[in-house]
Amino acid sequence: MSTLNGKRAEAQQQSRKIKVAILGAGGIAHAMALTLNRMADDPRYTNLVEPYAVAARDGERAADFARQYGLPVSYGSYEEMLADPEADLVYIATPHSLHAEQGEQCLRAGKNILVEKSFTANTAQAERLLATARETGLLCTEAIWTRYMPSRTIIHDLLASGIIGEIRTVSANLGYTITGKARLTDPALAGGALLDVGVYPLNFVDMILEGRPYDRMATAMTPYQTGVDAQSTTTLFYPDTVMAVAYSSMVSISDRDGVVWGTDGHLICRNINDISAVDVYDRDYRLVKHVDMPEQLTGYEYEVASAANAILDGARECPEAPHTDTLRIMRLMDDIRGQWGLRFPFEQE
């Protein structure tokens, strides 16, 4: 048994499980509550995490949420949650514009945090939040679930095998018709397709190309009536003639494919937001390999388990989503919005 695994086993034997509290009661919070319940019933995770609490600004809403998912505790304010010493890990499930402020409050109250993507609204906020994490010595990690999923390693191993030769081009898209949600359309909430869905194609490209720096970028967007980006395309140009294209939309439904084109074939990832399968084609466009992804509880269990294990290890970041990766994507999205001339109201103050 490794030293880290030994520490985890000892911690789990000598202390309680990692109790998870959810900050926010919107749609993604429901998905996390379902995940925590399934983890609690799964022998792989039952001794690791415990569904514990939910916090919302409306006490009745929080209580209803807690009853729905069998959570023992609900709070009618975020301050109540911060004052509860039993909450070990807080999953922040609020709009992007609130992540930095709420994350810092949690850290200063002694709470480890798992922050829903996008990590913050901009790089400056991200840097301040990570500085607070370093100061407090607590875990602070981004809940960008695709970085934690088994599909990431499976795709990496396929590409490393040389099955499509040398990578030359990457494309990825994600689009849903989701303009009915204020967090998508309101500039004050850091709305727009980029931070909500565009972050996935950009992360897909970044993972495929293993974080390599690009030489230049070309990007354009079409605005929604509120001024945020409705849909966009970004092309990144790298050394050695490598190129990547990322599309995102909140006004159309896309096929959600991620494609890696090589010198000897290409690889298609079905649904970059939650990859279900990978198809590999040779130079003659013949299907030579099909790989289905492993069954999962919801897909969110991997980020929760990684965060819980990091806490037991005394780590400030998760290996699947280190702070350097989070900052690299935040800087890229800042650069993209900079070319568009899109600033949120709170950035102009």
Side-chain angles (χ1 to χ4, degrees), residues 12 97 121 168-169 188 202 207 251 257 313 329 343:
Q12 287 178 268
S97 57
R168 284 289 176 261
T169 313
L202 294 175
M207 288 187 285
V251 294
D257 281 350
D313 295 340
I329 297 297
R343 291 171 61 85

Side-chain angles (χ1 to χ4, degrees), residues 292-305:
D292 290 314
M293 296 302 107
E295 290 188 14
Q296 54 194 25
L297 302 181
T298 65
Y300 295 102
E301 66 267 26
Y302 307 111
E303 63 189 40
V304 175

Side-chain angles (χ1 to χ4, degrees), residues 16-36:
R16 53 189 170 83
K17 293 177 274 191
I18 299 300
K19 291 186 176 181
V20 184
I22 301 171
L23 195 160
I28 195 68
H30 284 269
M32 179 55 72
L34 175 63
T35 300
L36 293 172

Side-chain angles (χ1 to χ4, degrees), residues 8 12 18 48 304-315:
R8 291 175 186 169
Q12 287 178 268
I18 299 300
L48 180 62
V304 175
S306 181
N309 282 321
I311 293 170
L312 293 174
D313 295 340

Side-chain angles (χ1 to χ4, degrees), residues 26 64 76 79 139 214 233 243 319 327 349:
D64 288 343
E79 290 73 21
L139 175 76
Y214 58 90
T233 178
M243 186 178 80
L327 284 173
E349 295 175 355

Side-chain angles (χ1 to χ4, degrees), residues 33-101:
L34 175 63
T35 300
L36 293 172
N37 280 340
R38 290 184 177 177
M39 292 179 76
D41 293 334
D42 190 298
R44 294 170 296 178
Y45 308 112
T46 188
N47 292 320
L48 180 62
V49 298
E50 179 180 338
Y52 178 64
V54 63
R57 291 195 175 98
D58 183 327
E60 186 174 338
R61 185 185 187 199
D64 288 343
F65 187 106
R67 280 192 292 271
Q68 181 178 351
Y69 294 101
L71 301 177
V73 178
S74 67
Y75 316 99
S77 71
Y78 299 151
E79 290 73 21
E80 290 179 57
M81 181 200 67
L82 296 177
D84 184 351
E86 293 294 303
D88 301 307
L89 173 64
V90 175
Y91 169 66
I92 298 178
T94 51
H96 309 130
S97 57
L98 300 174
H99 291 179
E101 177 185 355

Side-chain angles (χ1 to χ4, degrees), residues 301-344:
E301 66 267 26
Y302 307 111
E303 63 189 40
V304 175
S306 181
N309 282 321
I311 293 170
L312 293 174
D313 295 340
R316 291 196 301 267
E317 60 186 354
C318 291
E320 300 89 345
H323 296 164
T324 53
D325 289 4
T326 292
L327 284 173
R328 186 169 59 252
I329 297 297
M330 291 306 309
R331 291 186 183 112
L332 173 55
M333 292 194 295
D334 276 4
D335 289 346
I336 290 170
R337 287 196 299 116
Q339 288 203 20
W340 296 345
L342 173 59
R343 291 171 61 85
F344 301 123

